[in-house]
Amino acid sequence: GNRFKNKITKKFMELSINNCQKLIVDSEYAKNEIKKILNLDKKKINKIYLGIDSELYKKKNFHKIKEFDYNKKYLLSVISCVKYHNIINLLKAFARVDNNKKDINFVLVMQILDKKYYEEIKIFIKKNNLEKKIKIFTNLESKFLINLYKNALLYIFSSYTEVFGYTTIEAMASGCPVLVSKTSCLPEINGNAAYYFNPDKINSIERGINIILNKKNIYNKLRQYGFKRIKHFNIKDNFNKTLSLIDRNNTDNDLKNR
């Protein structure tokens, strides 16, 4: 985006963080990174995970995309179109898998944040004759995501850097096995409920896809572990932790002002 706008935004974020009384972040990774970059007192930073309403994913009726065939076998990634999400490496790995599994497609749900990178992705798809195998939805309403998760063979998240990675726990809540980069906060959030790959190595991504698709025991374990893992991210518990932190902060301020 606009470099001047980015610099101003970054400056205001740093000022806000430095001057706030309490800072809430959504992972231990984010906590350590902010402390290191801005040299903050660790006591000022509070980790509270994002939450998910797992009951929502147990309902039977979900919104469907009319023009999409849910009976087709497909891999899924819900991802912003930015370079650090490593989408072209992901597509290269899929192209290799496709040589052995002709009936498997790939669905990308993307928010276009980098138009230039999006054009690179479209050029790659065309050059490799993948137009019929890859379906891209842009700016899709969130109400359509659950059905996509539930019917996917597996969910892939190829990011280099995240502070949480919310879509991975949405996939787990939907009973979809998760394949994810072993980077930043992702091992912290996903624990033993995901299969990991090196995002720099295309053969590592390809291997992860093949293992989950071909080894039923691993596929089933990831689904089971996923349902257990999402209990760490209960939306009510994490909401109450946030309120409790705000209440404690207000009480401390009242005592100081007396």
Side-chain angles (χ1 to χ4, degrees):
N2 182 290
R3 288 186 180 182
F4 178 73
K5 182 182 174 183
N6 288 344
K7 282 185 178 180
I8 294 294
T9 303
K10 182 174 180 286
K11 190 64 181 175
F12 274 111
M13 287 176 70
E14 289 177 359
L15 285 169
S16 298
I17 290 169
N18 279 309
N19 289 288
C20 71
Q21 293 173 321
K22 295 287 183 184
L23 178 66
I24 300 174
V25 297
D26 50 15
S27 65
E28 197 66 35
Y29 171 80
K31 184 175 181 177
N32 292 332
E33 286 295 295
I34 288 177
K35 179 182 178 294
K36 182 171 64 178
I37 294 166
L38 296 181
N39 197 27
L40 292 180
D41 181 357
K42 209 168 185 177
K43 293 178 182 177
K44 184 177 182 176
I45 312 172
N46 301 267
K47 179 201 75 180
I48 300 176
Y49 287 136
L50 298 181
I52 193 165
D53 181 4
S54 57
E55 294 301 313
L56 177 66
Y57 297 80
K58 294 177 184 177
K59 295 178 181 178
K60 292 183 179 180
N61 297 317
F62 300 100
H63 295 277
K64 288 189 173 182
I65 304 164
K66 289 181 181 178
E67 68 273 21
F68 184 72
D69 183 1
Y70 290 90
N71 293 316
K72 284 186 176 180
K73 295 177 181 178
Y74 64 92
L75 316 180
L76 175 66
S77 189
V78 181
I79 204 161
S80 298
C81 183
V82 286
K83 286 197 173 182
Y84 69 83
H85 277 165
N86 195 34
I87 298 166
I88 289 181
N89 267 6
L90 185 54
L91 296 181
K92 286 178 180 177
F94 172 71
R96 291 185 184 181
V97 171
D98 188 48
N99 291 329
N100 300 317
K101 296 187 175 296
K102 300 290 183 185
D103 59 336
I104 291 187
N105 300 284
F106 195 3
V107 175
L108 285 163
V109 179
M110 290 199 295
Q111 182 185 9
I112 311 302
L113 300 181
D114 184 335
K115 290 182 181 179
K116 187 177 177 182
Y117 188 48
Y118 183 53
E119 290 305 314
E120 288 179 33
I121 290 167
K122 289 198 293 184
I123 289 167
F124 176 85
I125 291 170
K126 189 173 182 179
K127 278 186 176 179
N128 290 274
N129 300 312
L130 293 169
E131 295 101 319
K132 292 182 179 179
K133 304 294 294 180
I134 296 174
K135 176 66 178 176
I136 297 176
F137 292 106
T138 59
N139 303 316
L140 188 71
E141 289 183 66
S142 58
K143 67 182 182 180
F144 294 111
L145 290 179
I146 296 178
N147 238 326
L148 285 174
Y149 285 127
K150 282 189 171 294
N151 289 280
L153 291 173
L154 63 89
Y155 181 75
I156 312 176
F157 195 57
S158 54
S159 180
Y160 280 114
T161 179
E162 296 292 322
V163 292
F164 192 84
Y166 192 78
T167 58
T168 60
I169 62 168
E170 284 188 314
M172 289 178 191
S174 305
C176 184
V178 170
L179 176 65
V180 70
S181 303
K182 195 172 185 178
T183 58
S184 58
C185 76
L186 295 171
E188 174 191 346
I189 301 304
N190 293 283
N192 67 348
Y195 195 92
Y196 296 94
F197 60 80
N198 181 340
D200 285 316
K201 295 185 177 179
I202 295 162
N203 63 342
S204 179
I205 305 172
E206 179 194 5
R207 182 174 178 271
I209 294 170
N210 282 324
I211 284 174
I212 295 175
L213 293 183
N214 295 323
K215 297 194 175 183
K216 199 69 178 176
N217 61 326
I218 292 177
Y219 181 94
N220 290 331
K221 276 183 180 179
L222 289 175
R223 291 186 78 244
Q224 292 165 12
Y225 291 163
F227 288 130
K228 292 178 182 177
R229 188 69 185 169
I230 59 170
K231 292 176 183 178
H232 292 274
F233 311 107
N234 181 284
I235 193 166
K236 289 181 181 177
D237 290 346
N238 295 348
F239 180 76
N240 288 331
K241 286 177 184 176
T242 305
L243 286 181
S244 177
L245 178 65
I246 293 168
D247 287 341
R248 287 201 310 273
N249 190 59
N250 289 340
T251 302
D252 290 344
N253 287 338
D254 288 342
L255 292 171
K256 285 178 184 178
N257 292 331
R258 285 180 184 177

